[in-house]
Amino acid sequence: MQSLTRSQLMHRHRDDLMALMTGSLFVSLGLVLYRQVGLLTGGTAGLAFLGHYASQWPFGAWFFVINLPFYVLAWKRKGLEFTLKTIVSVTTISLLSEWLPRWIEIARVDPLYASVMGGTLMGCGMLILFRHKSSLGGLGILALLLQERGKISAGQFQMAVDACIVLAALAVADFQRVALSVLGAVMLNLVLALNHKPGRYMAA
């Protein structure tokens, strides 16, 4: 029993940290692809994109600030461990989304490819975070709570909310970019809906 407890602690401190960094890298690269061609996504990241395109404030700053109020909900409903992991993920993504364009230069990317690949990357990144008891904060926390209560899967909830947010982007983007953003949201949430199910591959 003592050996099992030691193994669990090692997993949480080593494997979970690696998973948070990997998931954050995937999400950040997807966000960079989106920003390169002026696309949007759903959730708090979508709200951050709207703020960024409307004000030219850095996306990372918007993403970090918008998530602040949701930490209270995370703490009350999901506990301290989940909240701390989410804070780490959100902070890492906020920083990487601003740093990655300095480390890699994307001369050209087709908007359709950016939509599909960016959405897939973000979906995979979120899947990694979810499985290791973390999230991107905001609406992702609510999605996980609803799934745990058997109301609706996290992917289905995210897809519905993301569609509303992306459609609201018509105020700051043209129809083509919004249509590609919807496609990207579908790809992202298909990854979650097909792979993130209660009790499957959850980290200990």
Side-chain angles (χ1 to χ4, degrees), residues 2 37 57 83 97 118 163:
Q2 183 68 27
V37 295
W57 267 35
T83 304
S97 63

Side-chain angles (χ1 to χ4, degrees), residues 15 33 55 57 91 122 168:
D15 294 358
L33 288 174
S55 69
W57 267 35
T91 302
M122 286 189 281

Side-chain angles (χ1 to χ4, degrees), residues 119 123 155-156 159 183-196:
Q156 291 172 341
M159 185 177 293
L183 174 61
V186 170
M187 295 301 301
L188 185 159
N189 288 290
L190 277 176
V191 172
L192 296 180
L194 293 174
N195 295 280
H196 186 66

